Amino acid sequence: MLKEITSLTRINLLGAKRRWPSSLVAILGIAFVVSVFVSTLALVNGYKKSMSSAASDETIIILRDGANSEVSSSLSSEQIEILSNTSIVKRDATGQPLVSPEFYVVVNIPGDKPEEISSLPLRGVGKNAVSVRDNFKLVKGRFFEQGKREIIVGRSSYEKFSGLKIGDALKLDGNSWKIVGVFESKRSVLESEMWSDVHTLQQEYNRSNYYQSLRAKLNSSSDINALKEYIQQDPRLKVKVESEKDYLEKQSKGLSMFINTIGYPIVILMAIGSAFGAINTMYSSVDAKKHEIATIRAMGFLPFSIVVSILIESLVLALIGGLVGASIIIVTLGGYSVSTLSGSTLSQVVFDFDVSPEIFLTGLICAVVIGMISGLFPALKAVRVNVAVALKRA
């Protein structure tokens, strides 16, 4: 039987080569569907990766109770003081708590065109902001100086927006802020931000006694439960605590939900359309070689061998289409940076299309499924051909 399948498959593939216009249409149709599918997955993967790669299991974020993000949060200096002095928070080598009270605002910056304006987060931080985060690295220029209107910019924003070069001046609420450095953080969401001195920023917005959030390091991720109990026992602390990982995962749900609701149904509809196109191609192939199939059956070849050989032909065409579609996305969009407006912070988040090996493989699986569906029905039709009638009409 294996010899029969091999021989028939070789004949079918040579026939597909002769019918190259219809074969090419089927390949391009599947390539288009796979390219859209892979690019959608790469978009979601890149966004999620930018959010999760900034997270640490031992870092927590504390917001006002009921706040969904730092934009809607507010913590008083008294609350910051109480939380910073708990024994649950990790200490550095000198015994000081590893905490970072932060002030967070969204500012408008000029876009690439005169009429364009983009919104970016400007985070006011203190000396411990780097200590409570992993993977922070200053890659150009210098750190801002305390008490001065100076800004350092995340690498993603630095590369995406033309007006954020070192030495440029940003006009924020009538005052000029100088860009003095660029930092990176493994392409995480942090690289969409700009940082400045927290006290300078508080004074600028007349909020000297308030912060938006408090980040802190714990000795162990399990210490978060003890901290939650501590917060519940103190009536002055109307706050909530989350691990940084959980917080950022929630922030990424908006885009993921949009893709799941809108993006995937569109891709599924396109895949169905592509499958119908491939089915027509395979039906045409079967019709064109009715006499050939009847002769093969008259020679004693098993119907099962004919079905399998046609399925293999369909799968080969689908795999070629899948490889072409997925490869096009890797070449054209792999690592390409885009930005979108975060629904929770109302600011731009810059991230890369991330075509991982798993996504590439998923694209090929999508192509295989389309190939199986588009080859099955023509294959079943082929074995139902009346041998006597087909030979008589030949």
Side-chain angles (χ1 to χ4, degrees), residues 243-258:
S243 70
E244 193 178 40
K245 186 176 181 181
D246 289 344
Y247 172 73
L248 292 176
E249 281 183 357
K250 289 179 181 177
Q251 300 299 305
S252 69
K253 282 185 177 178
L255 180 63
S256 300
M257 186 178 297
F258 175 79

Side-chain angles (χ1 to χ4, degrees), residues 378-389:
L380 293 177
K381 180 183 177 182
V383 296
R384 287 198 291 265
V385 170
N386 188 306
V387 175
V389 174

Side-chain angles (χ1 to χ4, degrees), residues 99-215:
V99 295
S100 176
E102 299 178 353
F103 191 77
Y104 186 98
V105 294
V106 177
V107 299
N108 292 329
I109 63 166
D112 293 336
K113 298 178 181 177
E115 67 275 13
E116 288 183 351
I117 293 178
S118 298
S119 300
L120 285 184
L122 175 57
R123 183 181 296 277
V125 299
K127 60 181 181 180
N128 277 343
V130 176
S131 303
V132 299
R133 290 178 170 86
D134 298 332
N135 306 313
F136 178 95
K137 183 179 180 183
L138 189 71
V139 292
K140 288 187 178 182
R142 60 174 175 81
F143 214 79
F144 60 79
E145 293 184 18
Q146 293 184 7
K148 292 186 176 180
R149 292 192 181 96
E150 294 182 340
I151 290 173
I152 58 173
V153 182
R155 186 171 180 176
S156 295
S157 289
Y158 170 80
E159 293 173 347
K160 185 69 179 175
F161 303 103
S162 58
L164 299 179
K165 307 307 177 192
I166 294 178
D168 286 352
L170 281 180
K171 282 285 185 182
L172 303 178
D173 288 335
N175 292 317
S176 180
W177 294 69
K178 185 179 180 182
I179 297 174
V180 296
V182 178
F183 66 90
E184 65 180 17
S185 178
K186 295 185 69 175
R187 307 300 283 177
S188 72
V189 68
L190 275 185
E191 294 191 14
S192 298
E193 298 183 352
M194 302 185 294
W195 284 14
S196 185
D197 174 46
V198 62
H199 298 303
T200 304
L201 199 59
Q202 284 176 312
Q203 292 172 7
E204 201 75 16
Y205 285 84
N206 298 317
R207 298 286 303 274
S208 298
N209 294 320
Y210 288 91
Y211 299 84
Q212 251 70 45
S213 64
L214 177 70
R215 274 182 165 76

Side-chain angles (χ1 to χ4, degrees), residues 63-74 212 240 242 247 251:
L63 304 175
R64 176 181 60 82
D65 193 17
N68 294 322
S69 70
E70 290 176 273
V71 173
S72 56
S73 176
S74 179
Q212 251 70 45
K240 69 174 185 180
E242 291 180 282
Y247 172 73
Q251 300 299 305

